[in-house]
Amino acid sequence: MPSHRMTPDLAAGRSCPDTAKQTWHFPETAEDQARLEDWCRTVGPPVVSPEPTASFGDLLSGAELTVISWNVDVGGGDVIDFLETELGVACDGSQSRLAPGGMHLALLVQEAFRRSNEIPENPQGPTIPRAVAEDGRPGERLDVVEVAARCGLSLVYVAAARNGSEPRDGLREDKGVAILSTLPLEDVFFIELPYEAARRVAVVGTVRDASGRRLRLANLHLISTSGPARTLTTGNGSRLRQGLALGDARDQLEAQRAGGLSTEPHPTST
C-alpha cells in the first residue's frame, strides 16, 4: 500500500487550496498531490461561518449533545424537514430556536452541495464528474449554505469535487462535507486525503460546553470503490489508507498544538 503519511505543506506547483486562509494537511507523496490539484482547481473555496446566527444558548455542563452523520445524496435529502421534525429546531433565520427541552446538535453531512458562481468555470474534463442523479424529494432544493442560514446554524463546508460541469438554475455546483451546529465551531481545519479514484477532503471542528470541555468532530466521506488499475497500485486498501492518513494528520496537528511536530505516528494510527 502506498504511503499514508501526511504533511502541512503543499507540493511545488500547486495553486490550491489557499492555505493562507485555513489550516490544511495534505498527502506527503507528490503523485497524490498532483492528482488532487486537478480536482481542487474545479471547486470553490471553503465556507467557514463558525458562529450560529441564532441564539441557541450554551451547552450546559453535563447536558447531552446530539451528533448525527448523514449522507444526503447532494440535493436528495430534505435537511430542513429533518432538523425540524426529528431534532426540534424551529428554522426561522436568526430567530431560530430549539424546542423546549431540545438538545444542542451537530450534523455531519456527506455529499452536501453548494451552488455559487465563486465556483470556477471550467471546461469538460476527467476531474469534473457528472452531476449526481438525485432521487425525487418534496420541498425546496436548498444547498448547505442556505440550510445553515435558514436554521441559524454555524457552518463549515469544504468541497471535494464539482457536481457536474453545467450550471443549474444559473449557478455552478460543487459537493463535499459539512458540519452544521447550534454551537460555535472552533479550531477548524481541513485534511485532503490521499487520492483514491476521486478527491476526498475531511473537515474537523471543535465544540465546547459552558465549562470549557471540548469535543472534536471530524467529518469525512471515504472512497467507496477504486478502479482495477488503482486497486493494483493500492493493494485494495483505499479506505484503510485514507483512514490512516486522517489519523496521521490529526496526530501531527495535535503535536503542533502541544509545542512540537512529531515524526512518529500515534499508536491509534497504525
Side-chain angles (χ1 to χ4, degrees), residues 106-187:
L107 178 60
L108 281 55
V109 181
Q110 302 88 46
E111 290 196 8
F113 82 101
R114 179 259 308 270
R115 50 187 170 195
S116 169
N117 279 337
E118 283 192 270
I119 299 167
E121 185 175 7
N122 285 286
Q124 293 279 355
T127 57
I128 300 182
R130 294 179 181 176
V132 172
E134 303 160 9
D135 292 332
R137 57 177 292 276
E140 298 177 85
R141 182 179 183 269
L142 300 177
D143 76 359
V144 70
V145 179
E146 295 169 309
V147 169
R150 184 77 63 89
C151 297
L153 303 172
S154 59
L155 168 69
V156 180
Y157 165 81
V158 61
R162 285 287 283 272
N163 186 40
S165 58
E166 298 299 322
R168 182 166 177 170
D169 299 324
L171 295 171
R172 294 181 284 275
E173 295 186 358
D174 56 22
K175 58 185 179 180
V177 294
I179 302 175
L180 303 99
S181 182
T182 53
L183 296 168
L185 291 166
E186 306 172 359
D187 197 18

Side-chain angles (χ1 to χ4, degrees), residues 47-72:
V47 177
V48 181
S49 301
E51 295 290 333
T53 57
S55 298
F56 295 105
D58 293 332
L59 175 65
L60 300 178
S61 179
E64 293 184 351
L65 172 70
T66 300
V67 180
I68 309 100
S69 179
W70 185 17
N71 185 319
V72 296

Side-chain angles (χ1 to χ4, degrees), residues 195-210:
Y195 180 83
E196 298 289 342
R199 184 172 181 254
R200 292 287 191 266
V201 183
V203 58
V204 181
T206 299
V207 295
R208 67 174 67 226
D209 68 11

Side-chain angles (χ1 to χ4, degrees), residues 2-11 14 17 24-37 190-196 199-201 230 241-242 245-246 248-249 252:
S3 172
H4 68 272
R5 296 307 301 271
M6 301 292 283
T7 175
D9 300 319
L10 274 177
R14 287 202 65 176
W24 285 80
H25 256 64
F26 309 95
E28 193 174 62
T29 65
E31 179 187 2
D32 280 318
Q33 290 219 36
R35 288 177 175 268
L36 292 165
E37 170 73 6
F190 304 101
I191 301 171
E192 195 178 48
L193 299 174
Y195 180 83
E196 298 289 342
R199 184 172 181 254
R200 292 287 191 266
V201 183
R230 190 65 189 166
R241 184 175 180 234
Q242 290 185 333
L246 177 73
D248 189 56
Q252 290 186 36

